[in-house]
Amino acid sequence: MTPTLAGRIQTRILLFIVLGLPITLIYALAVNDFIWFWPRMEVFFRFIATVFLIGLILDPVYIFLQTLRWDRDWPFAYQFFFSIVEFGIALALAANGLIPWLDSFDFDDGPEIWTAIWHFTVVFIPMFLALLGPLSVFFIRWRFKAAQFGKI
Amino acid sequence: MISFPVYFRVRQLGPDGTPTGPARTLKCDDPGTFTVGKSDDADVQLDGAAVSRIHLSLVLAARSVAVRDEESTNGTFVNGNRVAEVALEAGDRITIPGWELEFAPVEAEAQPGTAAPQAPPAIVLSRIVEGAGAPPPGPVSQLAAIFGSAPEIGLETIRASGHPVEEVRFLSVGGGLGSFVWIDHLRCYGIPAGQVATIGTETVPYRTYQRYCKNSQIPDHERLRSNSLSRPDNIWGFPGYAMREVGKRGFFKGIFQVFGEPTLAESYTPRAGDVFESLDVEARRIGWQQMFRQGQARGLRKTTDGRYVVAYQPRGEGAGGDRLRFIVADVVHLSTGYPATRFVDDFQNFVAQHPERRGLVANAYEEHDAMYAAIEQTRDPVYVVVRGRGIVASRVIQRLSEARKKNPNLQILHSIRSRLGPRDGAVYKRAKRLVRNNVEIQPFNWPKSCWGGDLRFEYERASEERRGVILNTLGGTSTAERSDWVEIAERGAEEGWYRVVYGSISELDPIEGQADRVRILIRTPEGHNEELFAHFLIDCTGLIADIRRSPFLADLLDTYNLPRNHAWSKQGEKRGPTGLKVSNDFEIEGLRNNRGRVYAAGTITTGGPYLAVDSFLGLQYSALRSVDHLVTERLHAVPDLTPFRSLGGWLKWMGGSTP
């Protein structure tokens, strides 16, 4: 991938809306035995939004790293690795009570942390796979437009 | 200007492609058109089962000398590549089955001491084509008479000429990979095959490309320097070639390579044969045969009704002799590829002056398999000089190392201009190109972001001069990182059969009394001279594309006074002309005709708005730009490829159904 900052942000937002939010909804329902009870589902949305925000904050850093590479690209392995880093940061901050809209109790060791890890995994894998090519099926100009949408 | 007489050295070729017997000289005293073939009517008769009755014509004019294939069954080749019509330069080799004709504007000096016996006398040919008794005018002069000198031509004039006229909406001239990719886009956007036509000399769209691959030692089972997602048979680039190969070579290796490249694994590249196979499938799906017209494009003119007319001379089955045909189209796309190979000057001089030693030197892009065959047939010491440090040199050295298995006394001398230390790689802003074994390393022929990253934007936005400087900095010779290539260089140096010689070749001469070697003098960077006596020299410094060598493009440039791009030095000095100037949408704006549009793609647009024009993905980019341009300008009812239409098209591709 050879995204620009605008491309990273646009793609991140799109994937968050079309994959992140719907999958989170299904996951939240599944964890609550498919009973709609918003107070117990809300935390999943707050958490996935936190990971999304941390990604947005890190995007300029990634762009800087790209400029150090001769090909100015972002290999899939980097994308994979740094997505996990973003999750790790979100988890560490939440567990230490540093995210005001997340209760550190929800990210304690034990079953809570596994709920978060599984949540991240089911959201992250489809997002990563979408970047490997399926996004181009809908947006053929995306790969030539540095991961931005619209006409070239 | 050509000074007459001009000479062609004619030699018979053995079954392995090497010259047998002495050379004869064909002397042409005056301008004119001379036919070559096995018929009694041919001006020059050459026998052989595979030679056509009239195989080719030599077209000698005051300003240029050209060769034209006359619809021969087995083709005419110039420097190893099949041509339809091409202007010749000194030293160019025309080959037809069993024969070689070499263009030598001056007569070679007699070589005292060479093993060859006294050369037989020259065949003298001179003929005046004009005047009484002249043969009927050929298609080229017929066309000049129809087109006249006006830049626009009425359809009634074309019809009145009595030649067949066909009307389509979209026409691509070239019929190679560039045309294929453009038409594939049109078809996937929803244009029916009946509205599209393409003119080309080869019935298979990848034939020319495949020939370049074969000559530069990439047989079908070897890998190209191309990305998994750069699929000329799939406008979406998904699923990539790596996925296709997954079944064949184990799930994890393919997946891991694409996932880990270029940091954890070597970059994935597809096999040539797999690419060709996939192109065959797509050609059937989009109805290539229905759209394809076999022939050689002769000229293009604007029509008075806001369209274009392209004249072509049909070839192949049902060609119907000399009759020209015309196609009138609203939108024309030009993707004619490399007009012909041109060599670096010293090489060109050598082959022009010492035709009898032509078999000892080769450009890597011309057919030179006879060299490897000769090396493998003996166990005597053979010295081969490989010049250049690009990817082609890597491949040639790989091929030579295979030949070493049959002839362990083969010595490879690798001539490269200067030492390149680990820190000497090109620098662009904060990044530096990696260097290994004196060669700059890059997975593809441009940095990756030139195709669709920030460098594409930066280059497109830059001024003409700045583009030239960027092109110079990011381009240049590089090779891919492949462990087998590194191993050959390291093991060869250790075992003493591979040696790097630094310096530029300053002299290239025959050796008196030794017909099987050339003398190569290399001036080292320290100012010493190193003298090499080599059995073979393989020049891997690349091809020079001169678009004026295509008579079709030269006529277009002159008739419409079209501007060209220019090369620039790293310091920003303007150099010689390169490709046709096109807009960022790949339109040749000088040819705009009311609602008619002409686009170009591929190597003929070098120096224009995009760096990687000469690549699979680059062809897809330019096709996308030009087809999208028709959509945004609302021309000729090209429907937009919106996300859901795109998905629909992709599902059809996956299912193998017609778009």
Side-chain angles (χ1 to χ4, degrees):
Chain A
M1 295 185 295
T2 51
T4 51
L5 185 58
R8 280 181 177 279
I9 292 170
Q10 288 182 21
T11 303
R12 202 182 274 282
I13 291 173
L14 181 103
L15 290 178
F16 179 67
I17 293 171
V18 304
L19 290 174
L21 293 181
I23 293 171
T24 298
L25 178 67
I26 295 165
Y27 186 78
L29 278 170
V31 168
N32 289 300
D33 298 326
F34 293 99
I35 297 160
W36 184 281
F37 183 58
W38 183 246
R40 284 178 64 182
M41 287 158 60
E42 201 183 342
V43 61
F44 297 100
F45 288 92
R46 288 171 179 253
F47 179 66
I48 207 68
T50 308
V51 179
F52 169 71
L53 280 176
I54 287 167
L56 282 181
I57 293 164
L58 286 175
D59 273 340
V61 179
Y62 301 151
I63 289 294
F64 174 76
L65 293 178
Q66 261 177 267
T67 66
L68 302 180
R69 296 175 55 78
W70 173 258
D71 275 310
R72 300 172 91 82
D73 63 335
W74 195 248
F76 289 125
Y78 286 32
Q79 178 65 26
F80 192 88
F81 175 75
F82 282 100
S83 298
I84 294 168
V85 168
E86 289 162 18
F87 168 69
I89 293 172
L91 197 63
L93 291 176
N96 289 298
L98 295 171
I99 309 276
W101 57 85
L102 288 176
D103 189 343
S104 66
F105 176 77
D106 291 324
F107 301 92
D108 274 351
D109 275 351
E112 292 82 5
I113 207 164
W114 280 103
T115 312
I117 288 172
W118 278 114
H119 178 202
F120 170 74
T121 308
V122 296
V123 170
F124 157 73
I125 287 178
M127 277 189 181
F128 180 74
L129 292 180
L131 292 173
L132 288 172
L135 261 184
S136 297
V137 170
F138 295 90
F139 309 100
I140 57 166
R141 301 153 193 104
W142 177 79
R143 58 178 175 159
F144 296 111
K145 218 187 159 182
Q148 299 172 50
F149 298 98
K151 285 262 164 36
I152 294 175
Chain B
M1 288 300 284
I2 303 290
S3 59
F4 284 86
V6 296
Y7 299 87
F8 288 87
R9 217 120 15 218
V10 183
R11 253 167 307 195
Q12 197 149 15
L13 301 179
D16 59 346
T18 49
T20 56
R24 285 196 297 169
T25 305
L26 178 63
K27 183 180 178 205
C28 307
D29 281 331
D30 295 297
T33 300
F34 304 101
T35 53
V36 178
K38 69 176 167 197
S39 155
D40 290 344
D41 299 334
D43 297 316
V44 182
Q45 279 174 41
L46 299 177
D47 286 334
V51 178
S52 294
R53 288 179 50 77
I54 299 292
H55 199 105
L56 59 88
S57 293
L58 300 169
V59 185
L60 315 179
R63 286 178 57 183
S64 70
V65 172
V67 61
R68 183 169 74 221
D69 182 65
E70 296 295 351
E71 298 167 42
S72 65
T73 313
N74 293 303
T76 300
F77 297 77
V78 172
N79 300 329
N81 292 294
R82 191 165 183 167
V83 296
E85 178 171 5
V86 79
L88 295 172
E89 288 196 4
D92 280 349
R93 280 196 297 185
I94 305 166
T95 39
I96 64 174
W99 294 92
E100 174 183 297
L101 285 84
E102 186 188 325
F103 177 45
V106 289
E107 198 170 14
E109 295 158 37
Q111 292 297 320
T114 51
Q118 196 60 43
I123 321 165
V124 180
L125 257 185
S126 54
R127 206 167 61 146
I128 311 247
V129 278
E130 286 94 79
V140 175
S141 46
Q142 283 175 30
L143 183 61
I146 298 166
F147 274 177
S149 55
E152 286 183 11
I153 183 164
L155 230 52
E156 57 295 342
T157 317
I158 302 289
R159 291 225 168 82
S161 74
H163 295 280
V165 183
E166 182 186 0
E167 291 182 40
V168 292
R169 191 156 275 188
F170 306 93
L171 170 67
S172 182
V173 179
L177 283 178
S179 295
F180 185 86
V181 167
W182 189 70
I183 289 176
D184 198 29
H185 275 76
L186 285 176
R187 298 282 288 113
C188 294
Y189 270 62
I191 304 291
Q195 294 186 10
V196 188
T198 179
I199 301 170
T201 52
E202 299 281 359
T203 48
V204 177
Y206 53 80
R207 186 65 77 225
T208 306
Y209 178 81
Q210 188 181 29
R211 197 169 290 123
Y212 276 119
C213 286
K214 284 228 160 83
N215 289 347
S216 62
Q217 304 306 308
I218 312 172
D220 285 358
H221 65 265
E222 262 291 340
R223 293 183 181 278
L224 302 170
R225 193 189 199 180
S226 184
N227 194 265
S228 171
L229 302 177
S230 314
R231 299 191 60 150
D233 65 315
N234 175 325
I235 68 168
W236 303 272
F238 178 78
Y241 283 120
M243 288 267 243
R244 200 186 128 97
E245 233 180 284
V246 157
K248 293 185 192 167
R249 54 181 209 144
F251 186 75
F252 285 106
K253 195 170 179 203
I255 292 287
F256 183 75
Q257 215 173 353
V258 170
F259 171 76
E261 72 178 19
T263 325
L264 305 176
E266 282 173 14
S267 291
Y268 170 87
T269 54
R271 281 184 214 280
D274 286 347
V275 172
F276 302 144
E277 217 173 88
S278 72
L279 283 165
D280 285 334
V281 173
E282 183 69 352
R284 277 195 295 277
R285 192 181 78 95
I286 63 172
W288 181 258
Q289 278 314 315
Q290 185 193 337
M291 300 179 279
F292 180 69
R293 313 280 181 273
Q294 194 179 7
Q296 171 64 33
R298 291 272 174 239
L300 179 150
R301 289 292 181 274
K302 294 179 183 176
T303 60
T304 46
D305 66 352
R307 291 190 284 174
Y308 306 93
V309 58
V310 175
Y312 74 103
Q313 190 183 350
R315 303 212 310 183
E317 274 173 53
D322 273 353
R323 270 168 84 81
L324 283 166
R325 288 185 194 176
F326 292 94
I327 299 182
V328 178
D330 294 283
V331 180
V332 177
H333 176 255
L334 307 179
S335 187
T336 51
Y338 285 94
T341 55
R342 220 193 87 203
F343 304 137
V344 285
D345 288 342
D346 57 354
F347 187 89
Q348 192 90 38
N349 289 342
F350 178 85
V351 299
Q353 283 166 22
H354 307 288
E356 73 290 347
R357 310 288 170 105
R358 186 65 179 85
L360 308 185
V361 296
N363 180 288
Y365 281 106
E366 60 180 335
E367 197 178 336
H368 63 286
D369 286 341
M371 285 186 180
Y372 304 107
I375 294 166
E376 289 170 348
Q377 267 163 23
T378 171
R379 291 179 78 86
D380 295 338
V382 177
Y383 294 87
V384 180
V385 174
V386 178
R387 177 204 223 179
R389 55 176 134 205
I391 191 141
V392 178
S394 303
R395 285 211 170 96
V396 166
I397 292 171
Q398 181 194 352
R399 176 69 185 84
L400 287 169
S401 81
E402 284 161 21
R404 258 198 107 255
K405 289 178 189 134
K406 293 188 180 154
N407 180 357
N409 293 315
L410 166 66
Q411 296 279 325
I412 305 169
L413 299 158
H414 191 183
S415 159
I416 57 184
R417 202 174 293 162
S418 55
R419 217 174 276 272
L420 205 60
R423 298 181 166 278
D424 297 339
V427 175
Y428 189 77
K429 295 190 177 166
R430 279 189 285 261
K432 179 176 266 198
R433 190 153 51 191
L434 183 74
V435 175
R436 192 153 295 171
N437 290 331
N438 286 297
V439 186
E440 295 196 67
I441 298 288
Q442 191 171 275
F444 307 106
N445 58 345
W446 296 96
K448 259 189 197 163
S449 67
C450 293
W451 275 270
D454 61 343
L455 287 177
R456 178 181 81 68
F457 287 99
E458 201 172 314
Y459 180 76
E460 187 182 283
R461 284 192 203 114
S463 67
E464 200 182 323
E465 181 186 335
R466 174 84 187 130
R467 279 181 179 178
V469 174
I470 296 177
L471 185 146
N472 236 319
T473 313
L474 299 180
T477 317
S478 66
T479 194
E481 189 158 38
R482 268 179 57 166
S483 54
D484 51 342
W485 293 346
V486 173
E487 202 230 311
I488 289 169
E490 286 174 357
R491 194 162 46 88
E494 214 173 278
E495 296 173 5
W497 48 266
Y498 168 85
R499 182 163 76 89
V500 177
V501 186
Y502 300 101
S504 44
I505 294 185
S506 58
E507 289 172 30
L508 178 60
D509 304 305
I511 307 167
E512 244 176 66
Q514 271 186 294
D516 65 339
R517 290 207 194 187
V518 286
R519 172 180 162 274
I520 298 164
L521 195 71
I522 291 180
R523 186 126 180 108
T524 67
E526 297 81 26
H528 304 300
N529 282 330
E530 180 156 1
E531 201 173 32
L532 306 174
F533 297 97
H535 294 91
F536 298 110
L537 167 68
I538 304 175
D539 187 293
C540 305
T541 49
L543 288 178
I544 305 162
D546 177 2
I547 57 174
R548 281 208 76 93
R549 287 187 73 180
S550 152
F552 175 82
L553 293 179
D555 167 71
L556 208 54
L557 286 167
D558 295 339
T559 307
Y560 294 101
N561 218 349
L562 299 177
R564 289 176 70 178
N565 302 315
H566 283 265
W568 298 77
S569 75
K570 275 186 192 160
Q571 288 73 37
E573 297 156 41
K574 201 170 182 172
R575 297 273 165 84
T578 56
L580 270 168
K581 191 164 272 181
V582 292
S583 73
N584 292 346
D585 297 299
F586 287 83
E587 188 194 345
I588 305 174
E589 286 169 319
L591 289 175
R592 194 175 273 211
N593 190 15
N594 198 1
R595 286 171 64 79
R597 296 285 184 276
V598 179
Y599 298 96
T603 188
I604 61 170
T605 65
T606 298
Y610 194 68
L611 284 165
V613 283
D614 198 17
S615 68
F616 290 163
L617 198 55
L619 290 175
Q620 291 194 310
Y621 172 79
S622 51
L624 190 58
R625 283 300 294 254
S626 49
V627 175
D628 265 353
H629 188 234
L630 293 169
V631 174
T632 38
E633 299 238 304
R634 297 175 181 282
L635 288 169
H636 310 296
V638 181
D640 195 4
L641 200 65
T642 54
F644 284 98
R645 287 197 64 232
S646 176
L647 171 69
W650 182 78
L651 290 172
K652 281 184 178 167
W653 187 90
M654 289 297 281
S657 57
T658 323

